[in-house]
Amino acid sequence: MYSLWKRWCKKDASSALDQRIMDIKKCEVPQHIAIIMDGNGRWAKKRALPRIAGHHEGMKTVKKVTKLANQLGVKVLSVYAFSTENWKRPKTEVDFLMKLPQEFLGTFLPELISENVRVEMIGDKDSLPAHTIAAVEKAMEETKDNTGMILNFALNYGSRAEILAAVNKAAQDIKSGGIESDITEEVFNRYLMTDKLSDPDLLIRTSGEIRLSNFMLWQLAYSELWFTDVLWPDFKDEHLVEAIEVYQKRSRRFGGV
C-alpha cells in the first residue's frame, strides 16, 4: 500500500511540475541564464565522500539543467565551470576538474548534437591542459552548425581578467587607429569574450552564497539575481522552474520607471 501511495505522489508531483513548465512557457522566458554552480564540495563532505565525488555528481546536474533549459526555449545557458581562482585548490581536485570536460562532453555530445545545442566557451585557454582544450574544441566543432540553445562553458574564466584584456586591446586599437571614435558600451562589448552573446537576463547561484565571485561583472549589470541554499548536485528541475517563475514576477526597468 505504501509503495502504491509513493508512486501516486511521485506521479502527481511530476504532473504538477509539467503544468508549471507549461505555464512559464506562456510567459517571457529568460533568453540567457547564467549559473554559478556552487556546493559540490559541501555536498560530498555531507556524505563523507571526497570532493571529486561532488564534482562528478554536479556534472550530472549540468546535463539535466541543459535539457530542461533547452526545452523551455532558453537561448543561452552559461555555466561557471572553473574560475581563474580555482587553481588555488588542491592539485588532485584541479586535475580531476580538468578531466571532467572529457567525460562530460564525451558522453553527452551525441545528445547535444541531436538536441541542436551548440557548445561555446569563454575563458583563457592558454593555461588549460591540452586534453581539456581538445575535448571542448571537439564539441565546439561538432556542434558549430547547430542553431538551438548555446551551452556556454566559463572555463578558466575571471571577469576582471576579461575586462583588463578588453581595455588593453581597445587601447592598442586606439594607438593603431583601429578606433577613431569614443569607446561606447557597444564598442567595448566587442572586446569581451561574450561579444556574440546577449547579457544574462537571470543569474542563479546555488549553495547559499550571495556573491558574484568574479563572474561576468560587466555583463550582469542589469541581470535579475536568484540565490538558493540548494547545493548544486541537489539542484533539480523544480529549482530551475522556481527561479524562472520568480524572474517572471519581477519588473525589469533597467534604471527607468
Side-chain angles (χ1 to χ4, degrees), residues 34-110:
I35 304 180
I36 300 176
M37 308 178 292
D38 199 10
N40 291 337
R42 275 168 281 175
W43 182 92
K45 185 178 180 180
K46 284 174 64 177
R47 291 159 177 79
L49 296 170
R51 287 177 60 85
I52 59 174
H55 295 305
H56 195 271
E57 195 68 23
M59 181 182 70
K60 298 177 185 177
T61 303
V62 176
K63 291 183 180 181
K64 290 185 291 186
V65 169
T66 298
K67 290 178 183 178
L68 180 55
N70 193 33
Q71 177 190 340
L72 291 170
V74 174
K75 300 300 182 186
V76 183
L77 178 66
S78 292
V79 292
Y80 204 7
F82 191 88
S83 75
T84 49
E85 290 75 34
N86 286 156
W87 295 106
K88 301 171 186 175
R89 296 185 176 188
K91 185 177 184 303
T92 52
E93 183 177 349
V94 170
D95 288 346
F96 182 82
L97 289 168
M98 290 297 105
K99 291 175 183 176
L100 269 184
Q102 284 179 294
E103 182 178 350
F104 176 85
L105 294 168
T107 58
F108 197 36
L109 186 55

Coordinates of all heavy atoms in Angstrom, one line a residue, residues 34-110:
A34 N 22.6 32.5 -16.6 CA 23.9 32.2 -16.2 C 23.9 31.5 -14.8 O 23.0 31.9 -14.0 CB 24.8 33.5 -16.1
I35 N 24.7 30.5 -14.6 CA 24.6 29.8 -13.3 C 26.0 29.7 -12.7 O 27.0 29.3 -13.4 CB 24.1 28.4 -13.5 CG1 22.7 28.4 -14.2 CG2 24.0 27.7 -12.2 CD1 22.0 27.1 -14.4
I36 N 26.1 30.1 -11.4 CA 27.3 29.8 -10.6 C 27.0 28.5 -9.9 O 26.2 28.5 -8.9 CB 27.6 31.0 -9.7 CG1 27.9 32.3 -10.4 CG2 28.8 30.6 -8.8 CD1 28.1 33.5 -9.6
M37 N 27.6 27.4 -10.3 CA 27.3 26.1 -9.8 C 28.2 25.9 -8.5 O 29.3 25.4 -8.6 CB 27.6 25.1 -10.9 CG 27.0 25.3 -12.2 SD 27.4 24.1 -13.5 CE 29.2 24.5 -13.7
D38 N 27.6 26.1 -7.4 CA 28.4 26.1 -6.1 C 27.8 25.0 -5.2 O 26.6 24.8 -5.2 CB 28.3 27.5 -5.5 CG 29.4 27.7 -4.4 OD1 30.3 26.8 -4.4 OD2 29.3 28.7 -3.7
G39 N 28.7 24.4 -4.4 CA 28.3 23.5 -3.4 C 28.7 22.0 -3.6 O 28.3 21.2 -2.9
N40 N 29.4 21.8 -4.7 CA 29.8 20.4 -5.0 C 30.6 19.8 -3.8 O 30.4 18.6 -3.4 CB 30.6 20.3 -6.3 CG 29.8 20.6 -7.5 OD1 28.6 20.5 -7.5 ND2 30.4 21.0 -8.6
G41 N 31.6 20.5 -3.3 CA 32.5 20.0 -2.3 C 31.7 19.8 -1.0 O 31.9 18.8 -0.3
R42 N 30.8 20.7 -0.6 CA 30.0 20.6 0.6 C 29.0 19.4 0.5 O 28.7 18.7 1.4 CB 29.2 21.9 0.9 CG 30.1 22.9 1.6 CD 29.4 24.2 1.7 NE 29.7 24.9 0.4 CZ 29.1 26.1 0.1 NH1 28.3 26.7 1.0 NH2 29.4 26.7 -1.0
W43 N 28.5 19.2 -0.7 CA 27.6 18.0 -1.0 C 28.3 16.7 -0.7 O 27.8 15.8 0.0 CB 27.1 18.0 -2.4 CG 26.2 17.0 -2.8 CD1 24.8 17.0 -2.7 CD2 26.5 15.6 -3.3 NE1 24.3 15.8 -3.2 CE2 25.3 14.9 -3.5 CE3 27.7 15.0 -3.5 CZ2 25.3 13.6 -4.0 CZ3 27.7 13.7 -4.0 CH2 26.5 13.0 -4.2
A44 N 29.6 16.6 -1.1 CA 30.4 15.4 -0.9 C 30.7 15.3 0.6 O 30.7 14.2 1.1 CB 31.7 15.5 -1.8
K45 N 31.1 16.4 1.2 CA 31.5 16.4 2.6 C 30.4 15.9 3.5 O 30.6 15.1 4.5 CB 32.0 17.7 3.1 CG 32.5 17.8 4.5 CD 33.0 19.2 4.9 CE 33.6 19.2 6.3 NZ 34.0 20.6 6.6
K46 N 29.2 16.3 3.2 CA 28.0 15.9 4.0 C 27.8 14.4 3.9 O 27.2 13.8 4.8 CB 26.7 16.6 3.5 CG 26.6 18.0 3.9 CD 25.4 18.7 3.2 CE 24.1 18.0 3.6 NZ 22.9 18.7 3.0
R47 N 28.3 13.8 2.9 CA 28.2 12.3 2.7 C 29.4 11.6 2.9 O 29.6 10.4 2.6 CB 27.7 12.0 1.2 CG 26.2 12.5 1.0 CD 25.9 12.8 -0.4 NE 24.5 13.2 -0.6 CZ 24.0 14.4 -0.4 NH1 24.9 15.3 0.0 NH2 22.8 14.7 -0.5
A48 N 30.4 12.2 3.5 CA 31.7 11.6 3.9 C 32.4 11.1 2.6 O 33.0 10.0 2.6 CB 31.6 10.5 4.9
L49 N 32.3 11.8 1.5 CA 32.9 11.4 0.2 C 34.0 12.4 -0.1 O 34.0 13.6 0.3 CB 31.8 11.4 -0.9 CG 30.7 10.4 -0.7 CD1 29.6 10.7 -1.8 CD2 31.2 9.0 -0.9
P50 N 34.9 12.1 -1.0 CA 35.9 13.0 -1.5 C 35.2 14.1 -2.3 O 34.2 13.9 -2.9 CB 36.8 12.1 -2.3 CG 36.0 11.0 -2.7 CD 35.1 10.7 -1.6
R51 N 35.9 15.3 -2.3 CA 35.3 16.4 -3.0 C 35.0 16.1 -4.5 O 34.1 16.6 -5.1 CB 36.3 17.6 -2.9 CG 36.3 18.3 -1.5 CD 37.3 19.4 -1.5 NE 37.0 20.4 -2.4 CZ 36.1 21.4 -2.2 NH1 35.5 21.5 -1.1 NH2 35.9 22.3 -3.1
I52 N 35.9 15.3 -5.1 CA 35.7 15.0 -6.5 C 34.4 14.3 -6.8 O 33.8 14.4 -7.9 CB 36.9 14.2 -7.1 CG1 37.1 12.8 -6.4 CG2 38.2 15.0 -7.1 CD1 38.1 11.9 -7.0
A53 N 33.9 13.6 -5.8 CA 32.6 12.9 -5.9 C 31.5 13.9 -6.1 O 30.5 13.7 -6.9 CB 32.3 12.0 -4.7
G54 N 31.6 15.0 -5.4 CA 30.6 16.1 -5.6 C 30.7 16.7 -7.0 O 29.7 17.0 -7.6
H55 N 31.9 16.9 -7.5 CA 32.1 17.5 -8.9 C 31.5 16.5 -9.9 O 30.9 16.9 -10.9 CB 33.5 17.7 -9.2 CG 34.1 18.8 -8.3 ND1 33.6 20.1 -8.2 CD2 35.2 18.8 -7.5 CE1 34.3 20.8 -7.4 NE2 35.3 20.1 -6.9
H56 N 31.7 15.2 -9.7 CA 31.1 14.2 -10.6 C 29.6 14.2 -10.6 O 28.9 14.2 -11.6 CB 31.7 12.8 -10.3 CG 31.5 11.8 -11.4 ND1 30.3 11.1 -11.5 CD2 32.3 11.5 -12.4 CE1 30.4 10.3 -12.5 NE2 31.6 10.5 -13.1
E57 N 29.0 14.4 -9.4 CA 27.6 14.4 -9.3 C 27.1 15.7 -9.9 O 26.0 15.8 -10.5 CB 27.2 14.3 -7.8 CG 25.7 14.0 -7.6 CD 25.3 12.6 -8.0 OE1 26.2 11.7 -8.1 OE2 24.1 12.4 -8.3
G58 N 27.8 16.8 -9.7 CA 27.4 18.1 -10.3 C 27.4 18.1 -11.8 O 26.6 18.8 -12.4
M59 N 28.2 17.3 -12.4 CA 28.2 17.1 -13.8 C 26.9 16.6 -14.3 O 26.4 17.0 -15.4 CB 29.4 16.2 -14.2 CG 29.5 16.0 -15.7 SD 30.8 14.8 -16.1 CE 30.1 13.3 -15.6
K60 N 26.3 15.6 -13.6 CA 25.0 15.1 -13.9 C 23.9 16.2 -13.9 O 23.0 16.2 -14.7 CB 24.6 13.9 -13.0 CG 25.6 12.8 -13.0 CD 25.2 11.7 -12.0 CE 26.2 10.6 -11.9 NZ 25.8 9.6 -10.8
T61 N 24.1 17.1 -12.9 CA 23.1 18.2 -12.8 C 23.2 19.1 -14.0 O 22.2 19.6 -14.5 CB 23.3 19.0 -11.5 OG1 23.2 18.1 -10.4 CG2 22.3 20.1 -11.3
V62 N 24.4 19.3 -14.5 CA 24.5 20.2 -15.7 C 23.8 19.6 -16.9 O 23.1 20.3 -17.6 CB 26.0 20.3 -16.1 CG1 26.2 21.1 -17.4 CG2 26.8 21.0 -15.0
K63 N 23.8 18.3 -17.0 CA 23.1 17.6 -18.1 C 21.6 17.8 -18.0 O 20.9 18.2 -18.9 CB 23.4 16.1 -18.1 CG 24.8 15.7 -18.5 CD 24.9 14.2 -18.5 CE 26.4 13.8 -18.9 NZ 26.5 12.3 -19.0
K64 N 21.0 17.6 -16.7 CA 19.6 17.8 -16.5 C 19.2 19.2 -16.8 O 18.1 19.5 -17.4 CB 19.3 17.4 -15.1 CG 19.4 15.9 -14.8 CD 18.9 15.5 -13.4 CE 19.8 16.0 -12.4 NZ 19.5 15.5 -11.0
V65 N 19.9 20.2 -16.3 CA 19.6 21.6 -16.4 C 19.7 22.0 -17.9 O 18.8 22.8 -18.4 CB 20.5 22.5 -15.5 CG1 20.3 23.9 -15.9 CG2 20.2 22.2 -14.1
T66 N 20.7 21.5 -18.6 CA 20.8 21.8 -20.0 C 19.6 21.3 -20.8 O 19.0 22.1 -21.6 CB 22.1 21.1 -20.6 OG1 23.2 21.6 -19.9 CG2 22.2 21.4 -22.1
K67 N 19.1 20.1 -20.5 CA 18.0 19.6 -21.2 C 16.7 20.4 -21.0 O 16.0 20.7 -21.9 CB 17.7 18.1 -20.8 CG 18.8 17.1 -21.3 CD 18.5 15.7 -20.7 CE 19.6 14.7 -21.1 NZ 19.3 13.4 -20.5
L68 N 16.5 20.7 -19.7 CA 15.3 21.5 -19.4 C 15.4 22.9 -19.9 O 14.4 23.4 -20.5 CB 15.1 21.5 -17.9 CG 13.8 22.3 -17.4 CD1 12.6 21.8 -18.1 CD2 13.7 22.3 -15.9
A69 N 16.5 23.6 -19.8 CA 16.6 24.9 -20.3 C 16.4 24.9 -21.9 O 15.7 25.8 -22.4 CB 18.0 25.5 -20.0
N70 N 16.9 23.9 -22.5 CA 16.6 23.8 -24.0 C 15.2 23.6 -24.3 O 14.6 24.2 -25.2 CB 17.5 22.7 -24.6 CG 17.5 22.7 -26.1 OD1 17.5 23.8 -26.7 ND2 17.6 21.5 -26.7
Q71 N 14.5 22.8 -23.5 CA 13.1 22.5 -23.6 C 12.3 23.8 -23.4 O 11.2 24.0 -24.1 CB 12.7 21.4 -22.6 CG 11.2 21.1 -22.6 CD 10.8 20.2 -21.5 OE1 11.6 19.5 -20.9 NE2 9.5 20.3 -21.1
L72 N 12.7 24.6 -22.5 CA 12.0 25.8 -22.2 C 12.1 27.0 -23.2 O 11.4 28.0 -23.1 CB 12.4 26.4 -20.8 CG 12.0 25.5 -19.6 CD1 12.7 26.0 -18.3 CD2 10.5 25.5 -19.4
G73 N 13.1 26.8 -24.1 CA 13.3 27.8 -25.1 C 14.4 28.9 -24.7 O 14.5 29.9 -25.3
V74 N 15.2 28.6 -23.7 CA 16.3 29.4 -23.3 C 17.3 29.4 -24.5 O 17.6 28.4 -25.1 CB 17.0 28.9 -22.0 CG1 18.3 29.7 -21.7 CG2 16.0 29.0 -20.9
K75 N 17.8 30.6 -24.8 CA 18.7 30.7 -26.0 C 20.2 30.5 -25.6 O 21.0 29.9 -26.4 CB 18.6 32.1 -26.6 CG 17.2 32.4 -27.1 CD 16.8 31.5 -28.2 CE 15.4 31.8 -28.8 NZ 14.9 30.8 -29.7
V76 N 20.6 30.9 -24.4 CA 22.0 30.7 -23.9 C 22.0 30.3 -22.5 O 21.3 30.9 -21.6 CB 22.8 32.0 -24.0 CG1 24.2 31.8 -23.6 CG2 22.7 32.6 -25.5
L77 N 22.7 29.2 -22.2 CA 22.9 28.8 -20.8 C 24.4 28.8 -20.5 O 25.2 28.1 -21.1 CB 22.4 27.4 -20.6 CG 22.6 26.8 -19.2 CD1 21.8 27.5 -18.2 CD2 22.2 25.3 -19.2
S78 N 24.8 29.8 -19.7 CA 26.3 29.9 -19.3 C 26.5 29.3 -17.9 O 25.8 29.7 -17.0 CB 26.7 31.4 -19.3 OG 26.7 31.9 -20.6
V79 N 27.4 28.4 -17.9 CA 27.7 27.7 -16.6 C 29.2 28.0 -16.2 O 30.1 27.9 -17.0 CB 27.5 26.2 -16.7 CG1 26.0 26.0 -16.8 CG2 28.2 25.6 -17.8
Y80 N 29.4 28.4 -14.9 CA 30.7 28.8 -14.4 C 31.4 27.5 -14.0 O 31.2 27.0 -12.8 CB 30.5 29.7 -13.2 CG 31.7 30.6 -12.9 CD1 32.8 30.7 -13.7 CD2 31.6 31.4 -11.8 CE1 33.9 31.5 -13.4 CE2 32.7 32.3 -11.4 CZ 33.8 32.3 -12.2 OH 34.8 33.2 -11.9
A81 N 32.2 26.9 -14.8 CA 32.7 25.6 -14.6 C 34.0 25.6 -13.8 O 34.3 24.7 -13.0 CB 32.9 24.9 -15.9
F82 N 34.9 26.7 -14.1 CA 36.2 26.7 -13.4 C 36.7 28.2 -13.5 O 36.8 28.7 -14.6 CB 37.2 25.8 -14.1 CG 38.5 25.6 -13.4 CD1 38.6 24.6 -12.4 CD2 39.6 26.4 -13.7 CE1 39.8 24.4 -11.7 CE2 40.8 26.3 -13.0 CZ 40.9 25.3 -12.0
S83 N 36.9 28.8 -12.4 CA 37.4 30.2 -12.4 C 38.9 30.3 -12.4 O 39.6 29.3 -12.1 CB 36.8 30.9 -11.1 OG 37.5 30.5 -10.0
T84 N 39.4 31.5 -12.6 CA 40.8 31.7 -12.6 C 41.4 31.5 -11.2 O 42.6 31.3 -11.0 CB 41.1 33.1 -13.1 OG1 40.3 34.1 -12.4 CG2 40.9 33.2 -14.6
E85 N 40.5 31.7 -10.2 CA 40.9 31.5 -8.8 C 40.9 30.0 -8.4 O 41.5 29.7 -7.3 CB 40.0 32.3 -7.9 CG 40.1 33.8 -7.9 CD 39.5 34.4 -9.2 OE1 38.5 33.8 -9.7 OE2 40.0 35.4 -9.7
N86 N 40.2 29.2 -9.1 CA 40.1 27.7 -8.7 C 41.5 27.0 -8.8 O 41.6 25.9 -8.3 CB 39.1 27.0 -9.6 CG 37.7 27.4 -9.2 OD1 36.8 27.3 -10.0 ND2 37.5 27.9 -8.0
W87 N 42.5 27.6 -9.4 CA 43.8 26.9 -9.5 C 44.4 26.8 -8.1 O 45.3 26.0 -7.9 CB 44.7 27.7 -10.4 CG 44.3 27.8 -11.8 CD1 43.8 28.8 -12.5 CD2 44.5 26.7 -12.8 NE1 43.6 28.5 -13.8 CE2 44.0 27.2 -14.0 CE3 44.9 25.4 -12.7 CZ2 43.9 26.4 -15.2 CZ3 44.9 24.6 -13.8 CH2 44.4 25.1 -15.1
K88 N 43.9 27.6 -7.1 CA 44.4 27.5 -5.8 C 44.0 26.3 -5.0 O 44.5 26.0 -3.9 CB 43.9 28.8 -5.0 CG 44.3 30.1 -5.6 CD 43.5 31.2 -4.8 CE 43.8 32.6 -5.5 NZ 43.0 33.7 -4.9
R89 N 43.1 25.5 -5.6 CA 42.6 24.3 -4.9 C 43.6 23.2 -5.0 O 44.6 23.3 -5.8 CB 41.3 23.8 -5.6 CG 40.1 24.8 -5.4 CD 38.8 24.3 -6.0 NE 37.7 25.3 -5.7 CZ 36.5 25.0 -5.9 NH1 36.1 23.8 -6.4 NH2 35.5 25.9 -5.6
P90 N 43.4 22.1 -4.2 CA 44.4 21.0 -4.2 C 44.6 20.5 -5.6 O 43.7 20.4 -6.4 CB 43.8 20.0 -3.3 CG 42.9 20.8 -2.4 CD 42.4 21.9 -3.2
K91 N 45.9 20.1 -5.9 CA 46.2 19.6 -7.3 C 45.3 18.5 -7.7 O 44.9 18.4 -8.9 CB 47.7 19.2 -7.3 CG 48.1 18.9 -8.7 CD 49.6 18.6 -8.8 CE 50.1 18.3 -10.2 NZ 49.4 17.2 -10.8
T92 N 45.0 17.5 -6.8 CA 44.2 16.4 -7.2 C 42.8 16.8 -7.6 O 42.3 16.2 -8.6 CB 44.1 15.4 -6.0 OG1 43.7 16.1 -4.8 CG2 45.5 14.7 -5.7
E93 N 42.3 17.8 -6.9 CA 41.0 18.3 -7.3 C 41.0 19.0 -8.6 O 40.1 18.8 -9.5 CB 40.4 19.2 -6.2 CG 39.0 19.7 -6.5 CD 38.5 20.6 -5.4 OE1 39.1 20.6 -4.3 OE2 37.4 21.2 -5.6
V94 N 42.0 19.8 -8.8 CA 42.2 20.6 -10.1 C 42.3 19.6 -11.3 O 41.7 19.7 -12.3 CB 43.3 21.6 -10.0 CG1 43.6 22.1 -11.4 CG2 43.1 22.7 -9.0
D95 N 43.2 18.6 -11.1 CA 43.4 17.6 -12.1 C 42.1 16.9 -12.5 O 41.8 16.6 -13.7 CB 44.4 16.6 -11.7 CG 45.9 17.1 -11.6 OD1 46.1 18.2 -12.2 OD2 46.7 16.5 -11.0
F96 N 41.3 16.6 -11.5 CA 40.0 15.9 -11.8 C 39.1 16.9 -12.5 O 38.4 16.5 -13.5 CB 39.3 15.5 -10.5 CG 38.0 14.8 -10.7 CD1 38.0 13.4 -11.0 CD2 36.8 15.5 -10.6 CE1 36.8 12.8 -11.1 CE2 35.6 14.9 -10.7 CZ 35.6 13.5 -11.0
L97 N 39.0 18.1 -12.1 CA 38.2 19.1 -12.8 C 38.6 19.3 -14.3 O 37.8 19.5 -15.1 CB 38.2 20.5 -12.0 CG 37.5 20.5 -10.7 CD1 37.9 21.7 -9.9 CD2 36.0 20.4 -10.9
M98 N 39.9 19.2 -14.5 CA 40.4 19.4 -15.9 C 40.0 18.1 -16.8 O 40.0 18.2 -18.0 CB 41.9 19.6 -15.9 CG 42.3 20.9 -15.3 SD 41.7 22.3 -16.3 CE 40.4 23.0 -15.2
K99 N 39.7 17.0 -16.1 CA 39.3 15.8 -16.9 C 37.8 15.8 -17.1 O 37.4 15.0 -18.0 CB 39.8 14.6 -16.1 CG 41.3 14.4 -16.1 CD 41.7 13.2 -15.3 CE 43.2 13.0 -15.2 NZ 43.6 11.9 -14.3
L100 N 37.1 16.5 -16.3 CA 35.6 16.5 -16.4 C 35.1 16.8 -17.8 O 34.1 16.2 -18.3 CB 35.0 17.4 -15.4 CG 34.7 16.7 -14.0 CD1 33.9 17.7 -13.1 CD2 33.8 15.5 -14.2
P101 N 35.6 17.8 -18.5 CA 35.1 18.1 -19.8 C 35.2 17.0 -20.8 O 34.3 16.8 -21.6 CB 36.0 19.3 -20.3 CG 36.4 20.0 -19.0 CD 36.6 18.9 -18.0
Q102 N 36.3 16.2 -20.6 CA 36.4 15.0 -21.5 C 35.2 14.0 -21.2 O 34.6 13.5 -22.2 CB 37.7 14.3 -21.2 CG 38.9 14.9 -21.8 CD 40.2 14.1 -21.5 OE1 40.6 14.1 -20.3 NE2 40.8 13.6 -22.5
E103 N 35.0 13.7 -19.9 CA 34.0 12.8 -19.6 C 32.6 13.3 -19.9 O 31.7 12.6 -20.5 CB 34.0 12.4 -18.1 CG 33.0 11.4 -17.7 CD 33.1 11.1 -16.2 OE1 34.1 11.4 -15.5 OE2 32.2 10.4 -15.7
F104 N 32.3 14.6 -19.5 CA 31.0 15.2 -19.8 C 30.7 15.3 -21.3 O 29.6 14.8 -21.7 CB 31.0 16.6 -19.2 CG 29.7 17.3 -19.4 CD1 28.6 17.2 -18.6 CD2 29.6 18.2 -20.5 CE1 27.4 17.9 -18.8 CE2 28.5 18.9 -20.7 CZ 27.4 18.7 -19.9
L105 N 31.6 15.8 -22.0 CA 31.3 16.0 -23.4 C 31.5 14.7 -24.2 O 30.8 14.5 -25.2 CB 32.3 17.1 -24.0 CG 32.1 18.5 -23.5 CD1 33.2 19.4 -23.8 CD2 30.7 19.1 -23.9
G106 N 32.3 13.8 -23.7 CA 32.4 12.5 -24.4 C 31.1 11.7 -24.4 O 30.8 11.1 -25.3
T107 N 30.4 11.8 -23.2 CA 29.2 11.0 -23.1 C 27.9 11.8 -23.5 O 27.0 11.2 -24.0 CB 29.0 10.6 -21.6 OG1 29.0 11.7 -20.8 CG2 30.1 9.7 -21.2
F108 N 28.0 13.1 -23.4 CA 26.8 14.0 -23.6 C 26.8 14.6 -25.0 O 25.7 15.0 -25.5 CB 26.8 15.1 -22.6 CG 25.5 15.8 -22.4 CD1 24.3 15.1 -22.5 CD2 25.5 17.1 -22.1 CE1 23.1 15.8 -22.3 CE2 24.3 17.8 -21.9 CZ 23.1 17.1 -22.0
L109 N 27.9 14.6 -25.7 CA 28.0 15.2 -27.0 C 26.9 14.7 -28.0 O 26.3 15.5 -28.7 CB 29.4 15.1 -27.6 CG 29.6 15.9 -28.9 CD1 29.3 17.4 -28.8 CD2 31.1 15.7 -29.3
P110 N 26.8 13.4 -28.2 CA 25.8 12.9 -29.2 C 24.4 13.5 -28.9 O 23.6 13.8 -29.8 CB 25.8 11.4 -29.0 CG 27.2 11.1 -28.5 CD 27.5 12.3 -27.6

